[in-house]
Amino acid sequence: VIDTKTRELRDQGFAVSTHVDADPAALPESVRETLGKIVTEATANMVKHGDPSGPVSILIESTDEDVEAVFINRPNANGHRIDSAQLGLLGARERVEALGGEIQVTSESPDWVVRVLIPLGN
């Protein structure tokens, strides 16, 4: 999913940098599926609301205790901002919280930041 969505962002003109320090195959299936849905939702929001001329970062790291995913991008020129109350992010929040995790959506000028932390329950 990460590779596919990174390619899609690049095809849309975004300059994407990814850093993945996690083995998705080693994650529990429920976490892997949720993470895939989060990647899909976050990158869809980047295409819909983001500025292709600004940088995009996707960072995914895991430890023995948890997996963290961070998505950073600039809003598009019309200044439209997303927030955690929008439908796609509500669904993402529900999936993450069902696994005991948390999702934060913030605006850190000039960027949007979506941070997801999911415990692995080991």
Side-chain angles (χ1 to χ4, degrees), residues 32-98:
R32 192 171 51 248
E33 287 178 10
T34 297
L35 189 57
K37 290 177 181 182
I38 297 296
V39 169
T40 299
E41 180 62 30
T43 57
N45 280 338
M46 289 173 174
V47 169
K48 185 174 181 181
H49 305 293
D51 179 0
S53 69
V56 169
S57 297
I58 300 172
L59 312 159
I60 300 176
E61 296 183 346
S62 67
T63 66
D64 290 340
E65 292 84 32
D66 55 40
V67 61
E68 180 178 31
V70 180
F71 307 88
I72 304 168
N73 73 297
R74 300 256 163 90
N76 60 28
N78 71 18
H80 181 77
R81 295 242 178 229
I82 57 172
D83 62 46
S84 58
Q86 290 186 311
L87 192 56
L89 289 173
L90 280 175
R93 181 178 301 280
E94 290 172 357
R95 287 187 287 276
V96 169
E97 289 177 350

Side-chain angles (χ1 to χ4, degrees), residues 12-33:
Q12 293 289 324
F14 289 86
V16 183
S17 117
T18 59
H19 171 79
V20 178
D21 186 13
D23 177 8
L27 298 173
E29 183 177 350
S30 59
V31 172
R32 192 171 51 248
E33 287 178 10

